[in-house]
Amino acid sequence: MTARGPIQSAVPPAAVPQDAVAPDHARAVAFMLCATAFIAATTLLAKALGTEALGAPLHPLQVSLGRFAFAWLAIAMAVAVLRPRMTRPHVRTHLARTLCGWAGVTLMFTAAAMIPLSDATAISFLNPVFGMILAVPLLGERVGPWRWLAAAIAFLGAMILIRPGTEAMEAGALFAFGAALAMGLELIFIKRLAGREAPLQILFVNNSIGVAIAGAAAFWVWQAPTPGQWAGLAALGVAMACAQACFVNAMRRADASFVTPFSYLTLVFAALYDGLLFGVVPTAASAAGAAVIVAGAALLAWREAVNRRRARP
């Protein structure tokens, strides 16, 4: 299981055929940079929709529905144009994966409306750590001392951001922590899908189920969006679809161990967007916590790359 941020949880690297195109590191980096910019834009739009920036705040369940609905439209159009070969999907695994993904997205959007985007994004990078820990009882994987050290470092960074037991502790940070846990569990089901189905099929099935789940949940909190909010919801879904597409293209052109470190630039874009549009400047504690989390996630990514090289014949 590789270290992954919010983007990587969308499509498993093992499901992306590495030999589909010739290796091209320059284009892989370009695609990953675009993916990180798009994923940071989704949290920015979620914050705008969940605050008074575009009118009366929308409930996170409704924002989540917009993310799945408009992403599904974009992916459905791609399926209609490309006409990929579809195989029989493993419905139970898709359903479990989508439930976790929907929960993670909804909690992340809740956090984005309450705390700085850089803090919410940094805490979300705990999801590969949770995925690693959950893989022990659920997949029977063995975890060595290096990966436990990486987990400890990442959790230390999260504690710096969450500040448990102090008056500075914010509910938004706890929501982001819950989002990372849900996305970590999602990685377990993504790993079970890896290599069984094509990436575009995985995206289409995932978003189709997601629309149904998000629609059922949003029904109870629905309020009529303003024209600006409709535009924001559409932009949110399209940005997510673009992020997933860019990530897939990055993974097709280079090994996961090469492109994964560039995903941490999501933090930079999130802080930049938050500063430009909401005037939020990261504090010293935020910068320190984010740096420690990224250090732990990077150590985990490095160790996973070493393990993969050793496993190759």
Side-chain angles (χ1 to χ4, degrees), residues 143-164:
V143 177
W146 278 102
R147 292 197 286 177
W148 283 121
L149 175 61
I153 293 173
F155 276 121
L156 174 61
M159 293 305 101
I160 295 174
L161 290 176
I162 296 174
R163 304 173 184 86

Side-chain angles (χ1 to χ4, degrees), residues 114-116 118-120 123 155-174 177 281-290 293:
M114 301 174 69
I115 61 176
S118 57
D119 287 7
I123 295 173
F155 276 121
L156 174 61
M159 293 305 101
I160 295 174
L161 290 176
I162 296 174
R163 304 173 184 86
T166 68
E167 294 181 357
M169 184 176 71
E170 296 190 45
L174 296 178
F177 193 82
V281 178
T283 63
S286 295
I293 289 176

Side-chain angles (χ1 to χ4, degrees), residues 41-312:
T42 64
T43 54
L44 174 72
L45 289 164
K47 180 171 184 173
L49 291 163
T51 58
E52 296 182 348
L54 296 175
L58 295 181
H59 195 282
L61 292 174
Q62 194 169 347
V63 179
S64 184
L65 172 61
R67 170 258 182 265
F68 278 101
F70 286 102
W72 180 86
L73 286 174
I75 293 169
M77 287 189 289
V79 170
V81 172
L82 299 175
R83 297 178 179 274
R85 186 176 66 88
M86 295 286 190
T87 59
R88 183 176 179 179
H90 197 281
V91 178
R92 289 185 179 180
T93 305
H94 275 291
L95 180 59
R97 175 261 169 100
T98 305
L99 278 169
C100 295
W102 166 78
V105 165
T106 303
L107 290 170
M108 184 66 178
F109 289 168
T110 304
M114 301 174 69
I115 61 176
L117 294 184
S118 57
D119 287 7
T121 303
I123 295 173
S124 75
F125 278 112
L126 285 173
N127 79 78
V129 176
F130 283 122
M132 179 201 76
I133 295 173
L134 291 169
V136 175
L138 297 179
L139 298 179
E141 292 190 358
R142 298 180 62 183
V143 177
W146 278 102
R147 292 197 286 177
W148 283 121
L149 175 61
I153 293 173
F155 276 121
L156 174 61
M159 293 305 101
I160 295 174
L161 290 176
I162 296 174
R163 304 173 184 86
T166 68
E167 294 181 357
M169 184 176 71
E170 296 190 45
L174 296 178
F175 280 120
F177 193 82
L181 177 59
M183 289 188 286
L185 183 57
E186 182 189 13
L187 291 178
I188 300 297
F189 299 107
I190 288 177
K191 189 167 185 180
R192 291 179 176 176
L193 287 171
R196 296 182 180 180
E197 301 176 26
L200 188 55
Q201 175 174 318
I202 291 176
L203 290 178
F204 181 71
V205 174
N206 168 237
N207 283 276
S208 298
I209 298 174
V211 168
I213 295 173
F219 173 80
W220 305 100
V221 297
W222 181 264
Q223 66 183 65
T226 65
Q229 288 172 332
W230 275 118
L233 289 169
L236 174 60
V238 172
M240 181 60 73
C242 290
Q244 292 173 334
C246 289
F247 173 73
V248 169
N249 276 283
M251 296 300 299
R252 292 177 66 218
R253 288 168 170 78
D255 187 76
S257 61
F258 174 79
V259 297
T260 292
F262 294 97
S263 68
Y264 302 130
L265 289 174
T266 306
L267 274 170
V268 176
F269 284 110
L272 179 63
Y273 295 161
D274 216 12
L276 290 176
L277 298 180
F278 290 96
V280 177
V281 178
T283 63
S286 295
V292 175
I293 289 176
V294 169
L299 176 60
L300 180 59
W302 167 77
R303 193 60 192 173
E304 292 292 347
V306 171
N307 291 340
R308 282 197 302 273
R309 285 196 297 268
R310 288 177 176 175
R312 289 172 182 167

